[in-house]
Amino acid sequence: MPFSHPDPCPTILAVASDPGGARAVLPVLEELAGRHFTIVLSESATLGREAPSHWPRLPPEWVVDEQRLGELKQKMDIKGLVLGTGLQDPTPLLALGHARTLGIPSLMMLDNWTSYRSRMELNGTAIWPDLYGVMDQLAFNEAIREGVPPELLRITGHPGLASLTRQAMAHNALEQQTLKMQLGCPANRQMILFISEPVEMDQGADASNPRFRGYTEKTVLTPLAECLRNNKDQLFLVLAPHPRENAQALGAYWHQLATGIDFSVLSGMTTRQGVLAADGVAGMASLVLYESWLVGRPTLSLQPGLCRQDLASLSQRPGIWFVDQQKEAHKSVADWLTQIFQGTPGMIRSELRLHGDAAFLAADMLQQLWQKEDGMQSKGCSQ
């Protein structure tokens, strides 16, 4: 086996394929690394790119092979598996299934208020972790309603949002204006950020796909464009493509759809920086809309034609403009724009504080799990 593991410290293995899942587990892994555990990753686009470069990487095929994973468990003294949920790549669930067979304690971190059970299903069969960390009481209740065993659930907060509090508190009007200028927004205009998602790619374009949402990113952009066109001299739009989207194709589609509306495609900064730059944020069901709401930006969840209740959790956040009916779309967008034009500074919401200790709580729960199982008393490895 070419992989070398000279470090005598016990190991945490991490598997996350989707961007959201990777960003939910990274703070937990950093907390465990601070407790002197060795962190080893299954290579994936976001996790591999954003994790510290000195953390060892494994080929994904190694963690979906039970025999090889068993060899790794012995060789590296694997004490726990930390996973991010995903909707497309089966690697995390395959690794979880083998970990359960091999007796490796597991923690799955949820990163969004959707698909609580289906995220855990492989070929129609649920594969459960030892612990399933969810963001808040709303996620806890909805997960139970979808059939997740309640004894697995723990409310941790969202580890990926812990840093948002610091960023929001440090942000000011001058920094916002600087970011807007970097994105090409004229000084006398309000900047709208649209958070895109690869809906058609993931859930299909019509009801022939059983996971169809009732809309796609293209059908959502139509009412938005119609309303923005009436205020085009006052607005500047920035498109924020999903990491799995073709940014150039998205920009070309918007250019064709909304001729005359000035826009740019987000580049040179993170989506979160784009949220802090924006005067208003629109999208569909992305977690970024929740972040926007937390930091007080006028936020629009535009899902006209929605036929899946599991994507409606943003409707339960007071102050978010939530649209799930075609007939309501234009009025809701107009009301949302009115709030933006009023320019009333948004307040950081108290809910943001819930996420500050999420990584610490999740790391504690995982340690308690394996200490209970094997009687381990040490907290990692003294350095």
Side-chain angles (χ1 to χ4, degrees), residues 194-200 213 215 217 240 242 245 283-286:
F194 179 79
I195 308 299
S196 190
E197 300 174 61
V199 177
E200 187 171 326
R213 293 188 182 192
Y215 61 84
E217 64 274 31
H242 188 275
E245 280 187 293
M284 293 163 275
S286 170

Side-chain angles (χ1 to χ4, degrees), residues 47-76:
L47 192 61
R49 183 178 60 251
E50 298 187 6
S53 59
H54 64 275
W55 288 356
R57 272 74 167 162
L58 296 174
E61 57 268 24
W62 285 25
V63 302
V64 299
D65 182 311
E66 184 175 320
Q67 181 177 347
R68 178 160 269 174
L69 186 58
E71 294 171 356
L72 291 171
K73 176 189 176 185
Q74 299 302 319
K75 186 178 182 69
M76 297 190 298

Side-chain angles (χ1 to χ4, degrees), residues 94-114:
L94 290 169
L96 173 59
H98 296 324
R100 292 197 65 84
T101 301
L102 295 166
I104 301 174
S106 56
L107 167 67
M108 178 72 80
M109 294 301 302
L110 184 64
D111 65 277
N112 207 339
W113 285 260
T114 62

Side-chain angles (χ1 to χ4, degrees), residues 352-368:
L352 186 54
R353 290 194 290 270
L354 295 174
H355 308 296
D357 294 328
F360 179 88
L361 291 173
D364 261 9
M365 289 192 310
L366 184 60
Q367 280 196 247
Q368 290 166 10

Side-chain angles (χ1 to χ4, degrees), residues 22 61 72 80 87 99 119 132 141 182 240 245 263 294 319-320 338 369 371 377:
E61 57 268 24
L72 291 171
L87 295 173
R119 292 172 186 267
Y132 194 175
N141 294 342
Q182 291 176 12
E245 280 187 293
F263 78 99
L294 286 175
I320 286 184
T338 297
L369 180 65
Q371 287 173 2
Q377 297 300 315

